[in-house]
Coordinates of all heavy atoms in Angstrom, one line a residue:
M1 N -42.8 -7.7 -16.0 CA -41.8 -8.6 -15.5 C -40.4 -8.4 -16.0 O -39.4 -8.5 -15.3 CB -42.3 -10.0 -15.9 CG -41.4 -11.1 -15.4 SD -41.7 -11.3 -13.6 CE -40.8 -12.6 -13.3
T2 N -40.3 -8.0 -17.3 CA -39.0 -7.8 -17.9 C -38.4 -6.6 -17.2 O -37.1 -6.5 -17.0 CB -39.1 -7.5 -19.4 OG1 -39.8 -8.6 -20.0 CG2 -37.7 -7.4 -20.1
G3 N -39.2 -5.6 -16.9 CA -38.7 -4.3 -16.2 C -38.1 -4.6 -14.9 O -37.1 -4.0 -14.5
H4 N -38.7 -5.6 -14.1 CA -38.2 -5.9 -12.8 C -36.9 -6.6 -13.0 O -35.9 -6.4 -12.2 CB -39.2 -6.9 -12.1 CG -40.4 -6.2 -11.7 ND1 -40.5 -5.3 -10.7 CD2 -41.7 -6.3 -12.2 CE1 -41.7 -4.9 -10.5 NE2 -42.5 -5.5 -11.5
I5 N -36.7 -7.4 -13.9 CA -35.4 -8.2 -14.2 C -34.3 -7.1 -14.5 O -33.2 -7.2 -14.0 CB -35.6 -9.3 -15.2 CG1 -36.4 -10.3 -14.7 CG2 -34.2 -9.8 -15.6 CD1 -36.8 -11.4 -15.8
I6 N -34.7 -6.2 -15.4 CA -33.7 -5.2 -15.8 C -33.3 -4.3 -14.6 O -32.1 -4.1 -14.3 CB -34.2 -4.3 -17.0 CG1 -34.3 -5.2 -18.2 CG2 -33.3 -3.1 -17.2 CD1 -35.0 -4.5 -19.3
L7 N -34.3 -3.9 -13.8 CA -34.0 -3.2 -12.6 C -33.2 -3.9 -11.6 O -32.2 -3.4 -11.0 CB -35.3 -2.8 -11.9 CG -35.2 -1.9 -10.7 CD1 -34.6 -0.5 -11.1 CD2 -36.6 -1.6 -10.1
A8 N -33.4 -5.2 -11.5 CA -32.6 -6.0 -10.6 C -31.2 -6.2 -11.0 O -30.2 -6.1 -10.2 CB -33.3 -7.4 -10.4
V9 N -31.0 -6.3 -12.3 CA -29.6 -6.5 -12.9 C -28.9 -5.1 -12.8 O -27.7 -5.1 -12.4 CB -29.7 -6.9 -14.4 CG1 -28.4 -6.8 -15.1 CG2 -30.2 -8.3 -14.5
V10 N -29.6 -4.0 -13.1 CA -29.0 -2.7 -13.0 C -28.6 -2.4 -11.5 O -27.5 -2.0 -11.2 CB -29.8 -1.6 -13.5 CG1 -29.3 -0.2 -13.1 CG2 -30.0 -1.8 -15.0
T11 N -29.5 -2.8 -10.5 CA -29.2 -2.6 -9.1 C -28.0 -3.5 -8.7 O -27.1 -2.9 -7.9 CB -30.5 -3.0 -8.3 OG1 -31.6 -2.2 -8.8 CG2 -30.2 -2.7 -6.8
L12 N -28.0 -4.7 -9.1 CA -26.8 -5.5 -8.7 C -25.5 -5.0 -9.3 O -24.5 -5.0 -8.6 CB -27.0 -7.0 -9.2 CG -28.1 -7.8 -8.4 CD1 -28.3 -9.1 -9.1 CD2 -27.6 -8.0 -7.0
F13 N -25.6 -4.5 -10.5 CA -24.4 -3.9 -11.1 C -23.9 -2.6 -10.4 O -22.7 -2.5 -10.1 CB -24.7 -3.5 -12.6 CG -23.5 -2.9 -13.3 CD1 -22.4 -3.7 -13.7 CD2 -23.5 -1.6 -13.6 CE1 -21.4 -3.2 -14.3 CE2 -22.4 -1.0 -14.2 CZ -21.3 -1.8 -14.6
V14 N -24.8 -1.8 -9.9 CA -24.5 -0.6 -9.2 C -23.9 -1.0 -7.8 O -22.9 -0.4 -7.4 CB -25.7 0.3 -9.0 CG1 -25.5 1.4 -8.0 CG2 -26.1 0.9 -10.4
I15 N -24.5 -2.0 -7.2 CA -24.0 -2.4 -5.9 C -22.6 -3.0 -6.1 O -21.7 -2.8 -5.2 CB -24.9 -3.5 -5.3 CG1 -26.2 -2.8 -4.8 CG2 -24.3 -4.2 -4.1 CD1 -27.3 -3.8 -4.3
F16 N -22.4 -3.7 -7.1 CA -21.0 -4.3 -7.4 C -20.0 -3.2 -7.6 O -18.9 -3.2 -7.0 CB -21.0 -5.2 -8.6 CG -19.7 -5.7 -9.0 CD1 -19.1 -6.7 -8.2 CD2 -19.1 -5.3 -10.2 CE1 -17.9 -7.3 -8.6 CE2 -17.9 -5.8 -10.5 CZ -17.3 -6.8 -9.7
I17 N -20.4 -2.1 -8.4 CA -19.5 -1.0 -8.6 C -19.2 -0.3 -7.2 O -18.1 0.1 -7.0 CB -20.1 0.0 -9.6 CG1 -20.2 -0.7 -11.0 CG2 -19.2 1.3 -9.7 CD1 -18.9 -1.1 -11.6
L18 N -20.2 0.0 -6.5 CA -20.0 0.6 -5.2 C -19.2 -0.2 -4.3 O -18.3 0.3 -3.6 CB -21.4 0.9 -4.5 CG -22.2 2.0 -5.1 CD1 -23.6 2.0 -4.4 CD2 -21.5 3.3 -5.0
F19 N -19.3 -1.5 -4.3 CA -18.5 -2.4 -3.5 C -17.0 -2.3 -3.9 O -16.1 -2.2 -3.1 CB -18.9 -3.9 -3.6 CG -17.9 -4.8 -3.0 CD1 -17.9 -4.9 -1.6 CD2 -17.1 -5.6 -3.7 CE1 -17.1 -5.8 -1.0 CE2 -16.2 -6.5 -3.1 CZ -16.2 -6.6 -1.7
L20 N -16.7 -2.2 -5.2 CA -15.4 -2.1 -5.7 C -14.8 -0.7 -5.3 O -13.6 -0.6 -4.8 CB -15.3 -2.1 -7.2 CG -15.6 -3.5 -7.8 CD1 -15.6 -3.4 -9.4 CD2 -14.5 -4.5 -7.4
V21 N -15.6 0.3 -5.4 CA -15.1 1.7 -5.0 C -14.8 1.7 -3.5 O -13.7 2.2 -3.0 CB -16.1 2.8 -5.3 CG1 -15.8 4.1 -4.8 CG2 -16.2 2.9 -6.9
I22 N -15.7 1.2 -2.7 CA -15.5 1.2 -1.2 C -14.3 0.3 -0.8 O -13.5 0.7 0.0 CB -16.8 0.7 -0.5 CG1 -17.9 1.8 -0.7 CG2 -16.6 0.5 1.0 CD1 -19.3 1.3 -0.2
S23 N -14.2 -0.8 -1.4 CA -13.1 -1.7 -1.1 C -11.7 -1.1 -1.5 O -10.7 -1.2 -0.7 CB -13.2 -3.1 -1.7 OG -13.2 -3.0 -3.1
R24 N -11.7 -0.4 -2.6 CA -10.5 0.2 -3.0 C -10.1 1.4 -2.1 O -9.0 1.6 -1.7 CB -10.6 0.7 -4.5 CG -9.4 1.3 -5.0 CD -9.5 1.6 -6.4 NE -8.3 1.2 -7.1 CZ -8.0 1.3 -8.4 NH1 -9.0 1.8 -9.1 NH2 -6.9 1.0 -8.9
T25 N -11.1 2.2 -1.7 CA -10.9 3.3 -0.8 C -10.4 2.8 0.6 O -9.5 3.3 1.1 CB -12.2 4.0 -0.6 OG1 -12.7 4.5 -1.9 CG2 -12.0 5.3 0.3
I26 N -11.0 1.7 1.1 CA -10.5 1.2 2.4 C -9.1 0.7 2.2 O -8.3 0.9 3.1 CB -11.5 0.1 2.8 CG1 -12.8 0.7 3.3 CG2 -10.9 -0.7 4.0 CD1 -13.9 -0.3 3.6
N27 N -8.8 0.0 1.1 CA -7.4 -0.5 0.9 C -6.4 0.6 0.9 O -5.4 0.6 1.4 CB -7.4 -1.3 -0.4 CG -6.1 -2.0 -0.6 OD1 -5.4 -2.3 0.4 ND2 -5.8 -2.3 -1.8
N28 N -6.8 1.8 0.2 CA -5.9 2.9 0.2 C -5.7 3.5 1.6 O -4.6 3.9 1.9 CB -6.4 4.0 -0.8 CG -6.3 3.6 -2.2 OD1 -5.4 2.8 -2.6 ND2 -7.1 4.2 -3.1
M29 N -6.8 3.6 2.3 CA -6.7 4.1 3.7 C -5.8 3.2 4.6 O -4.9 3.7 5.3 CB -8.0 4.2 4.3 CG -8.9 5.3 3.7 SD -10.6 5.3 4.3 CE -10.4 5.4 6.1
I30 N -5.9 1.9 4.4 CA -5.0 0.9 5.2 C -3.6 1.2 4.7 O -2.7 1.2 5.7 CB -5.5 -0.5 4.9 CG1 -6.8 -0.7 5.7 CG2 -4.4 -1.5 5.5 CD1 -7.5 -2.0 5.3
N31 N -3.3 1.3 3.5 CA -1.9 1.5 3.0 C -1.4 2.8 3.6 O -0.2 2.9 4.0 CB -1.8 1.5 1.5 CG -2.0 0.2 0.9 OD1 -1.8 -0.9 1.6 ND2 -2.4 0.1 -0.4
L32 N -2.2 3.8 3.6 CA -1.7 5.1 4.2 C -1.4 5.0 5.6 O -0.4 5.6 6.1 CB -2.7 6.2 3.9 CG -2.8 6.7 2.4 CD1 -4.0 7.7 2.3 CD2 -1.5 7.4 2.0
L33 N -2.3 4.3 6.4 CA -2.0 4.1 7.8 C -0.7 3.3 8.0 O 0.0 3.6 9.0 CB -3.2 3.4 8.4 CG -4.5 4.2 8.6 CD1 -5.6 3.4 9.1 CD2 -4.2 5.5 9.5
I34 N -0.5 2.3 7.2 CA 0.8 1.6 7.3 C 2.0 2.4 7.1 O 3.0 2.4 7.8 CB 0.7 0.3 6.4 CG1 -0.3 -0.7 6.9 CG2 2.1 -0.3 6.3 CD1 -0.5 -1.8 6.0
K35 N 1.9 3.3 6.1 CA 3.0 4.2 5.8 C 3.2 5.2 6.9 O 4.3 5.5 7.3 CB 2.7 5.0 4.5 CG 2.8 4.2 3.2 CD 2.4 5.0 2.0 CE 2.4 4.1 0.8 NZ 2.0 4.9 -0.4
I36 N 2.1 5.7 7.5 CA 2.3 6.6 8.6 C 2.9 5.9 9.8 O 3.8 6.5 10.4 CB 0.9 7.2 9.0 CG1 0.4 8.2 7.9 CG2 0.9 7.9 10.3 CD1 -1.0 8.6 8.1
Q37 N 2.5 4.7 10.1 CA 3.1 4.0 11.2 C 4.6 3.8 10.9 O 5.4 4.0 11.9 CB 2.4 2.6 11.4 CG 3.0 1.8 12.5 CD 2.4 0.4 12.5 OE1 1.6 0.0 11.7 NE2 2.8 -0.4 13.5
Y38 N 5.0 3.4 9.7 CA 6.4 3.2 9.4 C 7.2 4.5 9.6 O 8.3 4.5 10.2 CB 6.5 2.7 7.9 CG 7.9 2.6 7.5 CD1 8.7 1.6 7.9 CD2 8.4 3.6 6.6 CE1 10.1 1.5 7.4 CE2 9.7 3.5 6.2 CZ 10.5 2.5 6.6 OH 11.8 2.4 6.1
L39 N 6.6 5.6 9.1 CA 7.3 6.9 9.2 C 7.5 7.3 10.6 O 8.5 7.9 11.1 CB 6.6 8.0 8.4 CG 6.7 7.8 6.9 CD1 5.8 8.8 6.2 CD2 8.2 7.8 6.4
L40 N 6.4 7.1 11.5 CA 6.5 7.4 12.9 C 7.5 6.6 13.6 O 8.3 7.1 14.4 CB 5.1 7.3 13.5 CG 4.1 8.4 13.2 CD1 2.7 8.0 13.7 CD2 4.6 9.7 13.6
E41 N 7.6 5.3 13.3 CA 8.6 4.5 13.9 C 10.0 4.9 13.5 O 10.9 4.9 14.4 CB 8.4 3.0 13.5 CG 7.2 2.4 14.2 CD 6.9 1.0 13.7 OE1 7.6 0.5 12.8 OE2 6.0 0.4 14.2
K42 N 10.2 5.3 12.3 CA 11.5 5.8 11.8 C 11.9 7.1 12.5 O 13.0 7.2 12.9 CB 11.5 6.0 10.3 CG 11.7 4.8 9.5 CD 13.1 4.2 9.8 CE 13.4 3.2 8.7 NZ 14.7 2.6 9.0
E43 N 10.9 7.9 12.7 CA 11.1 9.2 13.4 C 11.6 9.0 14.8 O 12.5 9.6 15.4 CB 9.9 10.1 13.3 CG 10.0 11.5 14.0 CD 10.9 12.4 13.2 OE1 11.2 12.1 12.0 OE2 11.5 13.3 13.8
L44 N 10.8 8.0 15.5 CA 11.2 7.7 16.9 C 12.6 7.1 17.0 O 13.4 7.5 17.9 CB 10.2 6.7 17.4 CG 10.4 6.2 18.9 CD1 10.3 7.4 19.8 CD2 9.4 5.1 19.2
E45 N 13.0 6.2 16.0 CA 14.3 5.7 16.0 C 15.4 6.8 15.9 O 16.4 6.8 16.6 CB 14.5 4.6 14.9 CG 13.7 3.4 15.2 CD 13.9 2.4 14.0 OE1 14.7 2.6 13.1 OE2 13.1 1.4 14.0
L46 N 15.1 7.7 15.0 CA 16.0 8.8 14.8 C 16.2 9.7 16.0 O 17.3 10.1 16.3 CB 15.6 9.7 13.5 CG 15.8 9.0 12.2 CD1 15.2 9.8 11.1 CD2 17.2 8.7 11.9
K47 N 15.1 10.0 16.7 CA 15.1 10.8 17.9 C 15.9 10.1 19.0 O 16.7 10.7 19.7 CB 13.7 11.0 18.4 CG 12.9 11.9 17.5 CD 13.2 13.3 17.5 CE 12.3 14.1 16.6 NZ 12.6 15.5 16.7
K48 N 15.7 8.7 19.1 CA 16.5 8.0 20.1 C 18.0 8.0 19.8 O 18.8 8.2 20.7 CB 16.0 6.5 20.1 CG 14.6 6.4 20.8 CD 14.2 4.9 20.8 CE 12.9 4.7 21.5 NZ 12.5 3.3 21.5
E49 N 18.3 7.8 18.5 CA 19.7 7.8 18.1 C 20.3 9.3 18.4 O 21.5 9.4 18.9 CB 19.9 7.5 16.7 CG 19.7 6.1 16.4 CD 19.8 5.7 14.9 OE1 20.3 6.6 14.1 OE2 19.5 4.6 14.5
A50 N 19.6 10.3 18.1 CA 20.1 11.7 18.3 C 20.3 11.9 19.8 O 21.3 12.5 20.2 CB 19.1 12.7 17.8
L51 N 19.4 11.4 20.6 CA 19.6 11.5 22.1 C 20.8 10.8 22.6 O 21.6 11.3 23.4 CB 18.3 11.0 22.8 CG 18.3 11.0 24.3 CD1 18.5 12.5 24.8 CD2 17.1 10.4 24.9
E52 N 21.0 9.5 22.1 CA 22.2 8.8 22.4 C 23.5 9.5 22.0 O 24.4 9.6 22.8 CB 22.2 7.4 21.8 CG 21.1 6.5 22.4 CD 21.1 5.1 21.6 OE1 22.0 4.8 20.9 OE2 20.1 4.4 21.9
V53 N 23.5 10.1 20.8 CA 24.7 10.8 20.4 C 24.9 12.0 21.3 O 26.0 12.3 21.7 CB 24.5 11.2 18.9 CG1 25.5 12.2 18.5 CG2 24.5 10.0 18.0
R54 N 23.8 12.8 21.6 CA 24.0 13.9 22.5 C 24.5 13.6 23.8 O 25.4 14.2 24.4 CB 22.6 14.6 22.6 CG 22.7 15.9 23.4 CD 21.3 16.6 23.5 NE 20.8 16.8 22.2 CZ 19.5 16.6 21.8 NH1 18.7 16.1 22.6 NH2 19.1 16.9 20.6
L55 N 24.1 12.4 24.4 CA 24.6 12.0 25.7 C 26.0 11.6 25.6 O 26.8 11.9 26.5 CB 23.7 10.8 26.2 CG 22.3 11.1 26.6 CD1 21.5 9.8 27.0 CD2 22.3 12.1 27.8
I56 N 26.4 10.9 24.5 CA 27.8 10.5 24.4 C 28.7 11.8 24.2 O 29.8 11.8 24.8 CB 28.0 9.6 23.1 CG1 27.3 8.2 23.4 CG2 29.5 9.4 22.7 CD1 27.2 7.3 22.2
L57 N 28.2 12.7 23.5 CA 29.0 14.0 23.3 C 29.1 14.7 24.6 O 30.2 15.3 24.9 CB 28.4 14.9 22.2 CG 28.5 14.4 20.8 CD1 27.7 15.3 19.9 CD2 29.9 14.3 20.4
M58 N 28.1 14.7 25.4 CA 28.2 15.4 26.7 C 29.2 14.7 27.6 O 29.9 15.3 28.3 CB 26.7 15.4 27.4 CG 25.8 16.4 26.7 SD 24.1 16.3 27.3 CE 24.4 16.7 29.1
E59 N 29.2 13.3 27.6 CA 30.1 12.6 28.4 C 31.6 12.9 27.9 O 32.5 13.1 28.8 CB 29.9 11.1 28.3 CG 28.6 10.7 29.1 CD 28.3 9.2 28.9 OE1 29.1 8.5 28.3 OE2 27.2 8.8 29.3
N60 N 31.8 13.0 26.6 CA 33.1 13.3 26.1 C 33.5 14.7 26.5 O 34.7 14.9 26.8 CB 33.1 13.2 24.6 CG 33.1 11.7 24.1 OD1 33.4 10.8 24.9 ND2 32.8 11.5 22.9
N61 N 32.6 15.6 26.5 CA 33.0 17.0 26.9 C 33.3 17.1 28.4 O 34.3 17.7 28.7 CB 31.8 18.0 26.7 CG 31.7 18.3 25.2 OD1 32.6 18.1 24.4 ND2 30.5 18.7 24.8
K62 N 32.6 16.3 29.2 CA 32.9 16.2 30.6 C 34.3 15.6 30.9 O 35.1 16.2 31.6 CB 31.9 15.5 31.4 CG 30.6 16.2 31.5 CD 29.6 15.3 32.3 CE 28.2 16.0 32.4 NZ 27.2 15.1 33.1
S63 N 34.6 14.6 30.2 CA 35.9 13.9 30.3 C 37.0 14.8 29.9 O 38.1 14.9 30.4 CB 35.9 12.5 29.6 OG 35.8 12.7 28.3
Q64 N 36.8 15.6 28.8 CA 37.8 16.5 28.3 C 38.0 17.6 29.2 O 39.2 18.1 29.5 CB 37.4 17.0 26.9 CG 37.6 16.0 25.8 CD 37.2 16.5 24.4 OE1 36.7 17.7 24.3 NE2 37.3 15.7 23.4
K65 N 37.0 18.1 29.9 CA 37.2 19.2 30.8 C 37.9 18.7 32.0 O 38.7 19.4 32.6 CB 35.8 19.7 31.2 CG 35.1 20.6 30.2 CD 33.7 21.0 30.6 CE 33.0 21.9 29.5 NZ 31.7 22.3 29.9
E66 N 37.6 17.5 32.4 CA 38.3 16.9 33.6 C 39.8 16.7 33.3 O 40.7 17.0 34.2 CB 37.7 15.6 34.0 CG 36.3 15.7 34.6 CD 35.7 14.4 34.9 OE1 36.3 13.3 34.6 OE2 34.5 14.3 35.4
L67 N 40.1 16.3 32.1 CA 41.5 16.2 31.7 C 42.2 17.5 31.7 O 43.4 17.6 32.1 CB 41.6 15.5 30.3 CG 41.3 14.0 30.3 CD1 41.3 13.5 28.9 CD2 42.2 13.2 31.1
K68 N 41.6 18.6 31.3 CA 42.2 19.9 31.2 C 42.4 20.4 32.6 O 43.4 21.1 32.9 CB 41.3 20.9 30.5 CG 41.2 20.7 29.0 CD 40.4 21.7 28.3 CE 40.3 21.4 26.8 NZ 39.4 22.3 26.1
V69 N 41.5 20.1 33.6 CA 41.6 20.6 34.9 C 42.8 19.9 35.6 O 43.6 20.5 36.4 CB 40.3 20.3 35.7 CG1 40.5 20.6 37.2 CG2 39.2 21.2 35.1
Q70 N 43.0 18.6 35.3 CA 44.1 17.9 36.0 C 45.4 18.3 35.3 O 46.3 18.6 35.6 CB 43.9 16.4 35.8 CG 42.7 15.9 36.6 CD 42.4 14.4 36.3 OE1 43.1 13.8 35.5 NE2 41.4 13.9 36.9

């Protein structure tokens, strides 16, 4: 009977440790996914800004060429 109690306590302890390890791993994965999402959003914003700057520069070049022609 004592052996069964010890086995039950050890099993509960192992399950508790595994739960802690699994929950910490899942938490780390969630944090990494949040970081990836943030970095991807920043990259998208930078690409949009670069495109806007490129379009503005192209418009300025066109207007400068038109001024030179006139």
Side-chain angles (χ1 to χ4, degrees):
M1 183 70 175
T2 308
H4 291 286
I5 293 174
I6 292 172
L7 182 62
V9 169
V10 170
T11 304
L12 287 175
F13 181 73
V14 169
I15 289 173
F16 178 71
I17 297 297
L18 287 176
F19 174 75
L20 289 177
V21 170
I22 290 171
S23 64
R24 184 172 222 180
T25 303
I26 290 173
N27 191 25
N28 287 340
M29 289 172 58
I30 291 171
N31 286 339
L32 287 174
L33 290 173
I34 290 171
K35 288 178 186 178
I36 289 171
Q37 178 186 5
Y38 173 77
L39 292 173
L40 288 174
E41 287 175 358
K42 280 296 193 183
E43 182 71 21
L44 180 62
E45 289 176 15
L46 290 174
K47 296 285 184 179
K48 285 181 180 179
E49 287 179 11
L51 180 60
E52 289 177 13
V53 169
R54 187 177 300 133
L55 291 174
I56 291 171
L57 289 175
M58 288 173 61
E59 289 176 6
N60 285 342
N61 285 340
K62 286 180 184 178
S63 65
Q64 286 178 357
K65 286 180 183 178
E66 288 175 359
L67 288 175
K68 287 181 183 179
V69 171
Q70 294 175 358

